Amino acid sequence: MICLSAGAFALALATPDFTLEWRHSVTRTLWWERWRAGPQGIAPVAARLTGPGAGMEPPPDAVWRDGAWHFTPRVAPQPQVVLATSGTTGGGWTLCAQDACHPLPEDQGPILIAACSTTVP
């Protein structure tokens, strides 16, 4: 289960798997990551980007396929992930899980995502 919070906004999803998608604020390149929650926290398990941007270069082992660089991030599980928004992209983060996508609020401050220890009834 994953939990999100941002200001007065809160969302709990009864799934360990989710994706995040956003655009680079300058180059407008699309970035997509698939994440998985587990006992040690949450970690990205797959990623792709449509082109480089400041701080968004594909790693050396990335493979170009279907119009994007695909790779496996090498990041240890994190207790939480903090998403920030610049307000300059014309859209913020989109989180998808269980066949539903949720645009995340851009004006509520940082967005926190963590694995939840509470189960949904």
Side-chain angles (χ1 to χ4, degrees):
M1 184 166 155
I2 57 171
C3 292
L4 292 85
S5 64
F9 171 84
L11 177 67
L13 299 170
T15 181
D17 300 303
F18 64 98
T19 64
L20 290 172
E21 184 176 295
W22 70 97
R23 290 202 175 273
H24 189 279
S25 61
V26 176
T27 61
R28 305 289 194 254
T29 52
L30 183 64
W31 186 282
W32 174 95
E33 293 176 336
R34 185 165 47 92
W35 289 74
R36 180 163 294 134
Q40 286 76 38
I42 59 174
V45 295
R48 67 179 181 252
L49 65 149
T50 58
M56 294 178 62
E57 292 76 20
D61 62 342
V63 175
W64 181 259
R65 183 176 70 244
D66 301 325
W69 291 101
H70 295 250
F71 59 97
T72 302
R74 292 175 183 20
V75 178
Q78 305 292 308
Q80 70 177 12
V81 173
V82 180
L83 307 178
T85 58
S86 68
T88 63
T89 61
W93 300 83
T94 299
L95 180 138
C96 298
Q98 299 174 316
D99 298 322
C101 292
H102 310 274
L104 301 179
E106 291 184 73
D107 58 352
Q108 300 292 313
I111 299 165
L112 305 176
I113 303 176
C116 303
S117 58
T118 306
T119 58
V120 175

